Coordinates of all heavy atoms in Angstrom, one line a residue:
M425 N -43.8 -63.6 -34.2 CA -44.3 -64.6 -35.1 C -45.2 -65.5 -34.3 O -44.9 -65.9 -33.2 CB -43.1 -65.4 -35.6 CG -43.4 -66.4 -36.6 SD -41.9 -67.1 -37.5 CE -40.9 -67.6 -36.1
Q426 N -46.3 -65.8 -34.9 CA -47.3 -66.7 -34.3 C -47.9 -67.6 -35.4 O -48.3 -67.1 -36.4 CB -48.4 -65.9 -33.6 CG -49.5 -66.7 -33.0 CD -50.5 -65.8 -32.4 OE1 -50.8 -64.7 -32.8 NE2 -51.2 -66.2 -31.3
G427 N -47.8 -68.9 -35.1 CA -48.3 -69.9 -36.1 C -47.3 -70.2 -37.1 O -46.1 -70.0 -37.0
K428 N -47.7 -70.8 -38.2 CA -46.8 -71.3 -39.3 C -46.5 -70.2 -40.3 O -47.3 -69.7 -41.0 CB -47.5 -72.5 -40.0 CG -46.5 -73.1 -41.1 CD -47.2 -74.3 -41.7 CE -46.4 -75.1 -42.7 NZ -45.4 -74.5 -43.4
V429 N -45.2 -69.8 -40.3 CA -44.7 -68.8 -41.1 C -43.5 -69.3 -41.9 O -42.6 -69.9 -41.3 CB -44.2 -67.5 -40.4 CG1 -43.7 -66.4 -41.3 CG2 -45.4 -67.0 -39.5
D430 N -43.5 -69.2 -43.2 CA -42.5 -69.7 -44.1 C -41.7 -68.6 -44.8 O -42.3 -67.5 -45.0 CB -43.0 -70.7 -45.1 CG -43.5 -72.0 -44.6 OD1 -42.9 -72.5 -43.6 OD2 -44.5 -72.5 -45.1
I431 N -40.4 -68.9 -45.1 CA -39.6 -67.9 -45.8 C -38.9 -68.6 -46.9 O -38.6 -69.8 -46.8 CB -38.6 -67.2 -44.9 CG1 -37.8 -66.1 -45.6 CG2 -37.7 -68.2 -44.3 CD1 -37.0 -65.2 -44.8
G432 N -38.8 -68.0 -48.1 CA -38.1 -68.6 -49.2 C -37.4 -67.5 -50.0 O -37.5 -66.3 -49.8
G433 N -36.8 -68.0 -51.1 CA -36.1 -67.1 -52.0 C -37.1 -66.5 -53.0 O -38.2 -66.1 -52.6
D434 N -36.9 -66.6 -54.2 CA -37.8 -66.1 -55.3 C -39.1 -66.8 -55.2 O -39.2 -67.9 -54.7 CB -37.2 -66.3 -56.7 CG -36.0 -65.3 -56.9 OD1 -36.1 -64.2 -56.4 OD2 -35.1 -65.7 -57.7
V435 N -40.2 -66.2 -55.8 CA -41.5 -66.7 -55.8 C -41.4 -68.1 -56.5 O -40.8 -68.3 -57.5 CB -42.5 -65.8 -56.5 CG1 -43.8 -66.4 -56.7 CG2 -42.6 -64.5 -55.8
G436 N -42.1 -69.1 -55.9 CA -42.1 -70.4 -56.5 C -41.0 -71.4 -56.0 O -41.1 -72.6 -56.3
L437 N -40.0 -70.9 -55.4 CA -38.9 -71.7 -54.9 C -39.3 -72.3 -53.6 O -40.2 -71.9 -52.9 CB -37.6 -70.9 -54.8 CG -37.0 -70.5 -56.1 CD1 -35.7 -69.7 -55.8 CD2 -36.7 -71.6 -57.1
E438 N -38.5 -73.3 -53.2 CA -38.7 -74.0 -51.9 C -38.7 -73.0 -50.7 O -37.9 -72.1 -50.7 CB -37.7 -75.1 -51.8 CG -37.9 -76.0 -50.6 CD -36.9 -77.1 -50.5 OE1 -36.6 -77.6 -51.6 OE2 -36.5 -77.5 -49.4
T439 N -39.5 -73.3 -49.7 CA -39.5 -72.4 -48.5 C -39.1 -73.3 -47.3 O -39.1 -74.5 -47.4 CB -40.9 -71.9 -48.3 OG1 -41.8 -72.9 -48.0 CG2 -41.4 -71.0 -49.4
S440 N -38.8 -72.6 -46.3 CA -38.5 -73.3 -45.0 C -39.1 -72.5 -43.9 O -39.5 -71.3 -44.0 CB -37.0 -73.4 -44.8 OG -36.4 -72.1 -44.8
P441 N -39.3 -73.1 -42.7 CA -40.0 -72.4 -41.6 C -39.1 -71.2 -41.2 O -37.9 -71.3 -41.1 CB -40.0 -73.4 -40.5 CG -39.9 -74.8 -41.2 CD -39.1 -74.5 -42.4
A442 N -39.8 -70.1 -41.0 CA -39.1 -68.8 -40.6 C -38.8 -69.0 -39.1 O -39.5 -69.7 -38.4 CB -40.0 -67.6 -40.8
Q443 N -37.8 -68.2 -38.7 CA -37.4 -68.2 -37.3 C -37.3 -66.8 -36.8 O -37.0 -65.9 -37.6 CB -36.0 -68.9 -37.2 CG -36.0 -70.4 -37.6 CD -34.7 -71.0 -37.4 OE1 -33.8 -70.6 -36.7 NE2 -34.5 -72.1 -38.1
V444 N -37.5 -66.6 -35.5 CA -37.4 -65.3 -34.9 C -36.0 -64.7 -35.2 O -35.0 -65.4 -35.1 CB -37.7 -65.4 -33.4 CG1 -37.5 -64.0 -32.7 CG2 -39.1 -65.9 -33.2
N445 N -35.9 -63.4 -35.5 CA -34.7 -62.7 -35.8 C -33.9 -63.2 -37.0 O -32.8 -63.0 -37.1 CB -33.8 -62.6 -34.6 CG -34.4 -61.8 -33.5 OD1 -35.1 -60.9 -33.7 ND2 -34.2 -62.3 -32.2
W446 N -34.6 -63.9 -37.9 CA -34.0 -64.4 -39.1 C -33.8 -63.2 -40.1 O -34.7 -62.4 -40.2 CB -34.9 -65.4 -39.8 CG -34.2 -66.2 -40.9 CD1 -34.3 -66.0 -42.2 CD2 -33.3 -67.3 -40.7 NE1 -33.5 -66.8 -42.9 CE2 -32.9 -67.7 -42.0 CE3 -32.8 -68.0 -39.6 CZ2 -32.0 -68.7 -42.2 CZ3 -31.9 -69.0 -39.9 CH2 -31.5 -69.4 -41.1
P447 N -32.6 -63.0 -40.7 CA -32.4 -61.9 -41.6 C -33.3 -62.0 -42.8 O -33.4 -63.0 -43.4 CB -30.9 -61.9 -41.9 CG -30.5 -63.3 -41.6 CD -31.4 -63.9 -40.6
I448 N -33.8 -60.8 -43.3 CA -34.6 -60.7 -44.5 C -33.8 -59.8 -45.4 O -33.1 -58.9 -45.1 CB -35.9 -60.0 -44.2 CG1 -36.7 -60.8 -43.1 CG2 -36.7 -59.7 -45.4 CD1 -37.2 -62.1 -43.6
T449 N -33.9 -60.2 -46.7 CA -33.2 -59.4 -47.7 C -34.0 -59.3 -49.0 O -35.1 -59.9 -49.1 CB -31.8 -60.0 -48.0 OG1 -31.0 -59.2 -48.9 CG2 -31.9 -61.4 -48.7
S450 N -33.5 -58.7 -50.0 CA -34.2 -58.6 -51.3 C -34.5 -60.0 -51.8 O -33.8 -60.9 -51.7 CB -33.4 -57.8 -52.3 OG -33.1 -56.5 -51.9
R451 N -35.7 -60.1 -52.5 CA -36.2 -61.3 -53.1 C -36.6 -62.4 -52.2 O -36.8 -63.5 -52.6 CB -35.2 -61.8 -54.2 CG -34.9 -60.7 -55.2 CD -33.8 -61.1 -56.1 NE -34.3 -62.2 -56.9 CZ -33.7 -62.6 -58.1 NH1 -32.7 -61.9 -58.5 NH2 -34.1 -63.6 -58.7
N452 N -36.7 -62.1 -50.9 CA -37.3 -63.0 -50.0 C -38.8 -63.0 -50.0 O -39.4 -61.9 -50.2 CB -36.9 -62.8 -48.5 CG -35.5 -63.3 -48.2 OD1 -34.8 -62.8 -47.3 ND2 -35.0 -64.3 -48.9
V453 N -39.5 -64.1 -49.8 CA -40.9 -64.2 -49.8 C -41.3 -64.8 -48.4 O -40.8 -65.8 -48.0 CB -41.5 -65.0 -50.9 CG1 -43.0 -65.1 -50.8 CG2 -41.0 -64.5 -52.3
L454 N -42.2 -64.1 -47.7 CA -42.7 -64.6 -46.4 C -44.2 -64.9 -46.7 O -44.9 -64.2 -47.3 CB -42.7 -63.5 -45.4 CG -41.3 -63.1 -44.8 CD1 -41.4 -61.8 -44.1 CD2 -40.9 -64.3 -43.9
S455 N -44.6 -66.1 -46.2 CA -46.0 -66.5 -46.3 C -46.5 -67.0 -44.9 O -45.7 -67.7 -44.2 CB -46.2 -67.5 -47.4 OG -45.4 -68.7 -47.1
T456 N -47.7 -66.7 -44.6 CA -48.3 -67.1 -43.4 C -49.5 -68.1 -43.6 O -50.2 -67.9 -44.6 CB -48.8 -65.9 -42.6 OG1 -49.7 -65.2 -43.4 CG2 -47.7 -65.0 -42.1
A457 N -49.6 -69.1 -42.8 CA -50.7 -70.0 -42.9 C -52.0 -69.3 -42.3 O -51.9 -68.3 -41.6 CB -50.4 -71.3 -42.1
P458 N -53.2 -69.8 -42.6 CA -54.4 -69.3 -42.0 C -54.3 -69.3 -40.5 O -53.8 -70.3 -39.9 CB -55.5 -70.2 -42.5 CG -55.0 -70.8 -43.8 CD -53.5 -70.9 -43.6
G459 N -54.6 -68.1 -39.9 CA -54.5 -68.0 -38.4 C -53.1 -67.6 -37.9 O -53.0 -67.3 -36.7
A460 N -52.1 -67.6 -38.7 CA -50.8 -67.2 -38.3 C -50.6 -65.7 -38.6 O -51.4 -65.1 -39.2 CB -49.7 -68.0 -39.1
R461 N -49.5 -65.2 -38.0 CA -49.1 -63.8 -38.3 C -47.7 -63.6 -37.9 O -47.1 -64.3 -37.2 CB -50.0 -62.8 -37.6 CG -50.0 -63.0 -36.1 CD -51.0 -62.1 -35.4 NE -51.0 -62.3 -34.0 CZ -51.8 -61.7 -33.1 NH1 -52.6 -60.7 -33.6 NH2 -51.7 -61.9 -31.9
T462 N -47.1 -62.5 -38.5 CA -45.7 -62.2 -38.2 C -45.5 -60.7 -38.4 O -46.3 -60.0 -39.0 CB -44.8 -63.0 -39.1 OG1 -43.4 -62.9 -38.6 CG2 -44.8 -62.6 -40.6
E463 N -44.4 -60.3 -37.8 CA -44.0 -58.9 -37.9 C -42.5 -58.8 -38.3 O -41.7 -59.5 -37.8 CB -44.2 -58.2 -36.6 CG -43.7 -56.7 -36.6 CD -44.0 -56.0 -35.3 OE1 -45.1 -55.6 -35.0 OE2 -43.0 -55.9 -34.5
L464 N -42.2 -57.9 -39.2 CA -40.8 -57.6 -39.6 C -40.5 -56.2 -39.1 O -41.4 -55.3 -39.2 CB -40.7 -57.6 -41.1 CG -41.2 -58.8 -41.9 CD1 -41.1 -58.4 -43.4 CD2 -40.3 -59.9 -41.7
R465 N -39.3 -56.0 -38.7 CA -38.8 -54.7 -38.4 C -37.6 -54.3 -39.3 O -36.6 -55.1 -39.3 CB -38.3 -54.6 -36.9 CG -39.4 -54.7 -35.9 CD -40.2 -53.4 -35.9 NE -41.3 -53.5 -34.9 CZ -41.6 -52.6 -34.0 NH1 -40.8 -51.5 -33.9 NH2 -42.6 -52.8 -33.2
I466 N -37.7 -53.3 -40.0 CA -36.6 -52.8 -40.9 C -36.4 -51.3 -40.4 O -37.2 -50.4 -40.8 CB -37.0 -52.9 -42.4 CG1 -37.3 -54.4 -42.7 CG2 -35.9 -52.3 -43.2 CD1 -37.8 -54.6 -44.1
G467 N -35.4 -51.1 -39.7 CA -35.1 -49.8 -39.1 C -36.3 -49.5 -38.2 O -36.7 -50.3 -37.3
S468 N -36.9 -48.3 -38.4 CA -38.1 -47.9 -37.5 C -39.4 -48.3 -38.2 O -40.4 -48.1 -37.6 CB -38.0 -46.4 -37.4 OG -38.2 -45.7 -38.6
T469 N -39.3 -49.0 -39.3 CA -40.5 -49.4 -40.0 C -41.0 -50.8 -39.5 O -40.2 -51.7 -39.5 CB -40.3 -49.5 -41.6 OG1 -39.9 -48.2 -42.0 CG2 -41.5 -49.8 -42.3
A470 N -42.3 -50.9 -39.2 CA -42.9 -52.2 -38.8 C -43.8 -52.7 -39.9 O -44.7 -51.9 -40.4 CB -43.6 -52.0 -37.5
I471 N -43.7 -53.9 -40.2 CA -44.5 -54.5 -41.3 C -45.2 -55.8 -40.6 O -44.5 -56.7 -40.2 CB -43.6 -55.0 -42.5 CG1 -42.9 -53.7 -43.0 CG2 -44.5 -55.6 -43.5 CD1 -41.7 -54.1 -43.8
R472 N -46.5 -55.8 -40.6 CA -47.2 -56.9 -40.0 C -48.0 -57.6 -41.0 O -48.8 -57.0 -41.8 CB -48.2 -56.3 -38.9 CG -47.4 -55.7 -37.7 CD -48.3 -55.1 -36.7 NE -47.5 -54.5 -35.6 CZ -47.2 -53.2 -35.6 NH1 -47.6 -52.4 -36.5 NH2 -46.5 -52.8 -34.6
L473 N -47.8 -58.9 -41.1 CA -48.4 -59.7 -42.1 C -49.4 -60.6 -41.4 O -49.1 -61.4 -40.5 CB -47.3 -60.6 -42.8 CG -47.7 -61.3 -44.1 CD1 -48.2 -60.4 -45.2 CD2 -46.5 -62.1 -44.6
D474 N -50.7 -60.6 -41.9 CA -51.8 -61.3 -41.3 C -51.8 -62.7 -41.8 O -51.0 -63.1 -42.7 CB -53.1 -60.6 -41.6 CG -54.2 -60.9 -40.6 OD1 -53.9 -61.7 -39.7 OD2 -55.3 -60.5 -40.9
G475 N -52.7 -63.6 -41.3 CA -52.8 -64.9 -41.7 C -53.2 -65.1 -43.2 O -53.9 -64.3 -43.7
D476 N -52.8 -66.2 -43.8 CA -53.1 -66.6 -45.1 C -52.6 -65.4 -46.1 O -53.4 -64.9 -46.9 CB -54.5 -66.9 -45.3 CG -54.8 -67.6 -46.7 OD1 -53.8 -68.2 -47.2 OD2 -55.9 -67.5 -47.2
S477 N -51.4 -65.0 -46.0 CA -50.8 -63.9 -46.8 C -49.5 -64.3 -47.3 O -48.8 -65.1 -46.8 CB -50.7 -62.6 -45.9 OG -52.0 -62.3 -45.4
S478 N -49.1 -63.6 -48.4 CA -47.8 -63.7 -49.0 C -47.2 -62.4 -49.3 O -47.8 -61.6 -50.1 CB -47.9 -64.6 -50.2 OG -46.6 -64.7 -50.8
L479 N -46.0 -62.1 -48.8 CA -45.4 -60.8 -49.0 C -43.9 -61.0 -49.6 O -43.2 -61.8 -49.0 CB -45.3 -60.0 -47.7 CG -44.6 -58.6 -47.8 CD1 -45.6 -57.7 -48.5 CD2 -44.3 -58.1 -46.4
E480 N -43.6 -60.3 -50.7 CA -42.3 -60.4 -51.2 C -41.5 -59.1 -51.0 O -42.1 -58.0 -51.2 CB -42.4 -60.7 -52.8 CG -41.1 -60.7 -53.5 CD -41.2 -60.9 -54.9 OE1 -42.4 -61.0 -55.4 OE2 -40.2 -61.0 -55.6
V481 N -40.3 -59.2 -50.5 CA -39.4 -58.1 -50.4 C -38.7 -58.0 -51.7 O -37.7 -58.7 -52.0 CB -38.4 -58.3 -49.2 CG1 -37.5 -57.1 -49.1 CG2 -39.2 -58.5 -47.9
T482 N -39.1 -57.1 -52.6 CA -38.6 -57.0 -53.9 C -37.3 -56.2 -53.9 O -36.4 -56.5 -54.7 CB -39.5 -56.4 -54.9 OG1 -39.9 -55.1 -54.5 CG2 -40.7 -57.2 -55.1
E483 N -37.1 -55.3 -53.0 CA -35.9 -54.5 -52.9 C -35.7 -54.0 -51.5 O -36.6 -53.4 -50.9 CB -35.9 -53.3 -53.9 CG -34.6 -52.6 -53.9 CD -34.6 -51.5 -55.0 OE1 -35.4 -51.5 -55.9 OE2 -33.7 -50.6 -54.9
L484 N -34.5 -54.3 -50.9 CA -34.2 -53.8 -49.6 C -32.7 -53.5 -49.6 O -31.9 -54.3 -49.8 CB -34.5 -54.9 -48.6 CG -34.1 -54.6 -47.1 CD1 -34.7 -53.3 -46.6 CD2 -34.4 -55.8 -46.2
D485 N -32.4 -52.2 -49.4 CA -31.0 -51.7 -49.3 C -31.0 -50.5 -48.5 O -32.0 -50.1 -47.9 CB -30.4 -51.5 -50.7 CG -31.1 -50.6 -51.6 OD1 -31.7 -49.6 -51.1 OD2 -31.1 -50.7 -52.8
D486 N -29.9 -49.8 -48.4 CA -29.8 -48.6 -47.6 C -30.7 -47.5 -48.1 O -31.0 -46.6 -47.3 CB -28.3 -48.1 -47.6 CG -27.4 -49.1 -46.8 OD1 -27.9 -49.9 -46.0 OD2 -26.2 -49.0 -47.0
D487 N -31.1 -47.5 -49.3 CA -31.8 -46.4 -49.9 C -33.3 -46.6 -50.1 O -34.1 -45.7 -50.3 CB -31.2 -45.9 -51.2 CG -29.8 -45.5 -51.0 OD1 -29.5 -44.8 -50.0 OD2 -28.9 -45.8 -51.8
S488 N -33.7 -47.9 -50.2 CA -35.1 -48.1 -50.5 C -35.7 -49.4 -49.9 O -34.9 -50.3 -49.6 CB -35.2 -48.2 -52.1 OG -34.5 -49.3 -52.6
L489 N -37.0 -49.4 -49.8 CA -37.7 -50.6 -49.3 C -38.9 -50.7 -50.3 O -39.8 -49.9 -50.3 CB -38.2 -50.4 -47.9 CG -39.1 -51.5 -47.3 CD1 -38.5 -52.9 -47.4 CD2 -39.5 -51.1 -45.9
R490 N -39.0 -51.8 -51.0 CA -40.1 -52.1 -51.9 C -40.6 -53.5 -51.6 O -39.9 -54.5 -51.6 CB -39.6 -52.0 -53.4 CG -39.3 -50.6 -53.8 CD -38.8 -50.5 -55.2 NE -38.8 -49.1 -55.7 CZ -38.0 -48.2 -55.3 NH1 -37.2 -48.4 -54.4 NH2 -38.1 -47.0 -55.9
L491 N -41.9 -53.5 -51.5 CA -42.7 -54.8 -51.1 C -43.7 -55.0 -52.1 O -44.3 -54.1 -52.7 CB -43.3 -54.6 -49.7 CG -42.4 -54.2 -48.6 CD1 -43.2 -53.8 -47.3 CD2 -41.4 -55.2 -48.3
R492 N -44.1 -56.3 -52.3 CA -45.2 -56.7 -53.1 C -46.0 -57.7 -52.3 O -45.6 -58.8 -51.9 CB -44.7 -57.4 -54.4 CG -45.9 -57.9 -55.3 CD -45.4 -58.5 -56.5 NE -44.6 -57.6 -57.3 CZ -43.5 -57.9 -58.0 NH1 -43.0 -59.1 -58.0 NH2 -42.9 -57.0 -58.7
L493 N -47.3 -57.4 -52.1 CA -48.3 -58.3 -51.5 C -48.9 -59.1 -52.5 O -49.7 -58.6 -53.4 CB -49.3 -57.4 -50.7 CG -50.3 -58.3 -49.9 CD1 -49.7 -59.0 -48.8 CD2 -51.4 -57.4 -49.4
H494 N -48.6 -60.4 -52.5 CA -49.2 -61.3 -53.5 C -50.7 -61.6 -53.2 O -51.5 -61.6 -54.1 CB -48.4 -62.6 -53.6 CG -47.1 -62.4 -54.2 ND1 -46.8 -62.2 -55.5 CD2 -45.9 -62.2 -53.6 CE1 -45.5 -62.0 -55.7 NE2 -44.9 -62.0 -54.5
Y495 N -51.0 -61.8 -51.9 CA -52.4 -62.0 -51.5 C -52.4 -61.9 -50.0 O -51.3 -62.0 -49.3 CB -52.9 -63.4 -51.9 CG -52.1 -64.6 -51.4 CD1 -52.4 -65.1 -50.1 CD2 -51.1 -65.1 -52.1 CE1 -51.7 -66.2 -49.7 CE2 -50.4 -66.2 -51.7 CZ -50.7 -66.8 -50.5 OH -50.0 -67.8 -50.0
G496 N -53.5 -61.6 -49.4 CA -53.7 -61.5 -48.0 C -53.7 -60.0 -47.5 O -54.2 -59.2 -48.2
S497 N -53.2 -59.8 -46.3 CA -53.3 -58.5 -45.6 C -52.0 -58.2 -45.0 O -51.4 -59.0 -44.3 CB -54.5 -58.6 -44.6 OG -54.5 -57.4 -43.9
V498 N -51.6 -56.9 -45.1 CA -50.4 -56.4 -44.5 C -50.7 -55.0 -43.9 O -51.5 -54.3 -44.5 CB -49.2 -56.3 -45.5 CG1 -49.5 -55.3 -46.6 CG2 -47.9 -56.1 -44.8
S499 N -50.0 -54.7 -42.8 CA -50.1 -53.4 -42.2 C -48.7 -52.9 -42.1 O -47.8 -53.6 -41.6 CB -50.7 -53.5 -40.8 OG -50.6 -52.3 -40.1
V500 N -48.5 -51.6 -42.5 CA -47.1 -51.0 -42.5 C -47.2 -49.8 -41.7 O -48.1 -48.9 -41.9 CB -46.6 -50.8 -43.9 CG1 -45.3 -50.1 -43.9 CG2 -46.6 -52.0 -44.8
R501 N -46.2 -49.6 -40.8 CA -46.1 -48.4 -40.0 C -44.7 -47.8 -40.2 O -43.7 -48.4 -39.8 CB -46.3 -48.6 -38.6 CG -46.4 -47.4 -37.7 CD -46.8 -47.7 -36.3 NE -47.2 -46.5 -35.7 CZ -47.7 -46.4 -34.5 NH1 -47.8 -47.5 -33.8 NH2 -48.0 -45.2 -34.0
V502 N -44.6 -46.7 -40.9 CA -43.4 -46.0 -41.2 C -43.2 -44.8 -40.2 O -44.0 -43.9 -40.3 CB -43.3 -45.5 -42.7 CG1 -42.0 -44.7 -43.0 CG2 -43.6 -46.6 -43.7
M503 N -42.2 -44.9 -39.4 CA -42.0 -43.9 -38.3 C -41.1 -42.8 -38.7 O -41.1 -41.8 -38.1 CB -41.5 -44.6 -37.0 CG -42.5 -45.7 -36.5 SD -44.0 -45.0 -35.9 CE -43.5 -44.1 -34.5
N504 N -40.2 -43.1 -39.7 CA -39.2 -42.1 -40.1 C -39.6 -41.5 -41.5 O -39.7 -42.2 -42.4 CB -37.9 -42.8 -40.2 CG -36.7 -41.8 -40.5 OD1 -37.0 -40.7 -40.9 ND2 -35.5 -42.2 -40.2
V505 N -39.9 -40.2 -41.5 CA -40.3 -39.6 -42.7 C -39.2 -39.7 -43.9 O -39.6 -39.6 -45.0 CB -40.6 -38.1 -42.5 CG1 -39.4 -37.3 -42.2 CG2 -41.4 -37.5 -43.6
D506 N -38.0 -39.9 -43.5 CA -36.9 -40.0 -44.5 C -37.1 -41.3 -45.3 O -36.6 -41.4 -46.4 CB -35.5 -40.0 -43.9 CG -35.2 -38.7 -43.2 OD1 -35.8 -37.7 -43.7 OD2 -34.4 -38.7 -42.3
V507 N -37.8 -42.3 -44.8 CA -38.0 -43.6 -45.5 C -39.1 -43.4 -46.6 O -39.1 -44.1 -47.6 CB -38.4 -44.7 -44.5 CG1 -38.8 -46.0 -45.2 CG2 -37.3 -44.9 -43.5
V508 N -40.0 -42.5 -46.4 CA -41.2 -42.4 -47.3 C -40.9 -42.3 -48.8 O -41.5 -43.0 -49.6 CB -42.2 -41.3 -46.8 CG1 -43.3 -41.1 -47.7 CG2 -42.7 -41.6 -45.4
P509 N -40.0 -41.4 -49.2 CA -39.8 -41.2 -50.6 C -39.3 -42.5 -51.3 O -39.6 -42.7 -52.5 CB -38.7 -40.2 -50.7 CG -38.7 -39.4 -49.4 CD -39.2 -40.4 -48.4
E510 N -38.7 -43.4 -50.6 CA -38.2 -44.6 -51.3 C -38.9 -45.9 -50.8 O -38.3 -47.0 -50.9 CB -36.7 -44.8 -51.0 CG -35.9 -43.7 -51.7 CD -36.1 -43.5 -53.2 OE1 -36.3 -44.5 -53.9 OE2 -36.2 -42.4 -53.7
F511 N -40.1 -45.7 -50.3 CA -40.9 -46.9 -49.8 C -42.0 -47.1 -50.9 O -42.6 -46.2 -51.4 CB -41.6 -46.6 -48.5 CG -42.5 -47.7 -48.1 CD1 -42.1 -48.9 -47.6 CD2 -43.9 -47.5 -48.2 CE1 -43.0 -49.9 -47.2 CE2 -44.8 -48.5 -47.9 CZ -44.3 -49.7 -47.4
E512 N -42.2 -48.4 -51.2 CA -43.3 -48.8 -52.1 C -43.9 -50.1 -51.7 O -43.2 -51.0 -51.3 CB -42.7 -48.9 -53.5 CG -43.7 -49.4 -54.6 CD -43.0 -49.6 -55.9 OE1 -42.9 -48.6 -56.6 OE2 -42.6 -50.7 -56.2
L513 N -45.2 -50.2 -51.7 CA -46.0 -51.4 -51.4 C -46.9 -51.6 -52.6 O -47.8 -50.8 -52.9 CB -46.8 -51.3 -50.1 CG -47.7 -52.4 -49.8 CD1 -47.0 -53.8 -49.7 CD2 -48.5 -52.2 -48.6
R514 N -46.7 -52.7 -53.4 CA -47.5 -53.0 -54.5 C -48.5 -54.1 -54.2 O -48.1 -55.0 -53.4 CB -46.6 -53.4 -55.7 CG -45.7 -52.3 -56.1 CD -44.8 -52.8 -57.2 NE -45.6 -53.0 -58.4 CZ -45.2 -53.6 -59.5 NH1 -44.0 -54.2 -59.5 NH2 -45.9 -53.8 -60.5
T515 N -49.7 -54.0 -54.7 CA -50.7 -55.0 -54.5 C -51.3 -55.4 -55.8 O -51.0 -54.8 -56.8 CB -51.8 -54.5 -53.6 OG1 -52.5 -53.5 -54.2 CG2 -51.3 -54.0 -52.2
A516 N -52.1 -56.4 -55.8 CA -52.8 -56.9 -57.1 C -53.7 -55.8 -57.6 O -53.9 -55.7 -58.8 CB -53.6 -58.1 -56.8
Q517 N -54.3 -55.0 -56.8 CA -55.1 -53.9 -57.2 C -54.3 -52.6 -57.5 O -54.7 -51.6 -57.9 CB -56.2 -53.5 -56.2 CG -57.4 -54.5 -56.2 CD -57.1 -55.7 -55.4 OE1 -56.4 -55.7 -54.4 NE2 -57.8 -56.8 -55.7

């Protein structure tokens, strides 16, 4: 994590400053300020969120990982082929 990164519950609810190694779960929203960035690790999957971005974890459990990028830029690296069938990244486009 670098710069100002916030975490909150559902979209539109109050956020608080994110902390290193803070647990992430379904319906969490991460947002980064301009110039900030952060990385999430879920198993072998790495998710990097660039500055001025908002990412919602819509579903996270033993069987699936579903993300929604509200705005900004995200980079995802899936290292385990078993994750691919139940991985989804939704964007505005």
Side-chain angles (χ1 to χ4, degrees):
M425 185 169 55
Q426 180 181 28
K428 185 176 182 333
V429 180
D430 289 325
I431 185 170
D434 288 329
V435 175
L437 292 181
E438 187 175 323
T439 63
S440 58
Q443 298 179 20
V444 174
N445 294 325
W446 193 261
I448 300 293
T449 188
S450 297
R451 300 173 67 162
N452 279 157
V453 177
L454 287 165
S455 58
T456 55
R461 60 185 175 180
T462 192
E463 179 178 278
L464 308 171
R465 291 285 179 133
I466 301 171
S468 63
T469 302
I471 303 157
R472 294 178 182 95
L473 193 59
D474 203 5
D476 195 24
S477 300
S478 176
L479 181 73
E480 179 182 359
V481 180
T482 56
E483 186 176 341
L484 174 59
D485 58 33
D486 291 340
D487 300 319
S488 61
L489 172 58
R490 289 182 168 66
L491 307 170
R492 178 180 299 141
L493 181 66
H494 294 280
Y495 59 88
S497 176
V498 67
S499 171
V500 180
R501 186 172 198 177
V502 179
M503 300 295 289
N504 185 344
V505 72
D506 294 334
V507 173
V508 174
E510 298 304 323
F511 173 78
E512 177 181 277
L513 173 61
R514 298 178 69 198
T515 66
Q517 282 87 26

